[in-house]
């Protein structure tokens, strides 16, 4: 966590982190985004991660890095997508965040490599994501992770059906 001298309360940082994460997710799912919305999506993902820096945990940091990577993959920018996916994976591994989170970090890496056109690295990370998914106890989490992994080769996104 970073200490920032500010009049912004922890509760406001948390509220902004959540709202910006959800706003980013709405843009991720928007099928007909324009260039301005793509830029807004990138900025909102970074802003959410910034606010988590003020009040979050390693879990929030890893998820934020994963979302930033997803956004960069969507806009066709593999280098920052890889950078943030690697940060997500390191946070998962260094903080023992479990197979679900680690699986999504591998999913982000695979998606970033797919965006780059590196099928060898894509497939290696898909295999690692699948291995992580096999170890996820909660069925709905395992299914959601696998739905995401199964869309990497097509660079599409799964449809959220809720729990």
């Amino acid at each position: 966590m970073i200490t920032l001298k500010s009049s912004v309360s922890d509760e406001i940082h948390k509220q902004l982190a959540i709202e910006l994460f959800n706003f980013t997710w709405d843009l991720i799912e928007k099928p007909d985004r324009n260039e301005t919305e793509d830029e807004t999506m990138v900025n909102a993902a970074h802003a959410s991660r910034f606010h988590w820096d003020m009040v979050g945990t390693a879990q929030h940091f890893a998820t934020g890095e994963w979302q930033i990577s997803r956004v960069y993959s969507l806009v066709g920018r593999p280098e920052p997508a890889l950078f943030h996916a690697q940060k997500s994976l390191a946070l998962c591994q260094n903080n023992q965040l479990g197979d679900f989170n680690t699986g999504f970090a591998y999913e982000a890496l695979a998606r970033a490599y797919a965006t780059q056109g590196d099928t060898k690295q894509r497939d290696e990370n898909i295999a690692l994501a699948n291995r992580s998914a096999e170890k996820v106890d909660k069925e709905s989490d395992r299914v959601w992770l696998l739905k995401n992994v199964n869309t990497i080769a097509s660079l599409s996104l799964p449809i959220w059906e809720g729990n």
Side-chain angles (χ1 to χ4, degrees):
M1 201 164 13
I2 295 174
T3 303
L4 173 72
K5 292 184 181 182
S6 168
S7 62
V8 176
S9 71
D10 287 354
E11 185 163 319
I12 290 173
H13 279 299
K14 182 178 179 180
Q15 180 182 356
L16 287 169
I18 292 167
E19 288 182 16
L20 286 160
F21 183 92
N22 291 335
F23 176 70
T24 303
W25 197 258
D26 289 342
L27 288 171
I28 286 170
E29 291 181 328
K30 188 172 188 238
D32 57 347
R33 283 185 321 275
N34 61 38
E35 187 176 327
T36 300
E37 290 168 323
D38 282 350
E39 291 174 13
T40 298
M41 182 175 62
V42 168
N43 291 334
H46 279 283
S48 174
R49 177 65 178 85
F50 167 81
H51 287 288
W52 279 126
D53 257 345
M54 303 302 128
V55 295
T57 64
Q59 166 80 45
H60 297 114
F61 306 157
T63 302
E65 295 296 339
W66 168 84
Q67 188 182 58
I68 293 169
S69 178
R70 168 70 62 97
V71 164
Y72 278 121
S73 288
L74 281 172
V75 299
R77 296 189 53 204
E79 190 276 327
L82 284 167
F83 176 81
H84 290 283
Q86 289 164 343
K87 286 181 75 171
S88 181
L89 180 61
L91 283 159
C92 289
Q93 292 174 333
N94 294 338
N95 294 282
Q96 295 85 39
L97 295 181
D99 294 306
F100 178 74
N101 295 297
T102 302
F104 265 103
Y106 286 124
E107 178 270 343
L109 278 166
R111 194 172 295 276
Y113 282 118
T115 303
Q116 189 177 55
D118 185 337
T119 56
K120 180 179 183 295
Q121 287 292 327
R122 178 199 69 193
D123 292 347
E124 287 177 15
N125 282 281
I126 285 173
L128 291 167
N130 281 323
R131 273 188 240 140
S132 291
E134 290 172 5
K135 300 176 201 168
V136 174
D137 291 329
K138 187 175 176 186
E139 183 180 358
S140 61
D141 286 349
R142 185 175 54 256
V143 166
W144 180 239
L145 174 55
L146 289 171
K147 278 186 176 187
N148 278 270
V149 171
N150 291 335
T151 63
I152 294 168
S154 64
L155 287 176
S156 61
L157 297 173
I159 304 296
W160 172 254
E161 296 167 1
N163 292 348

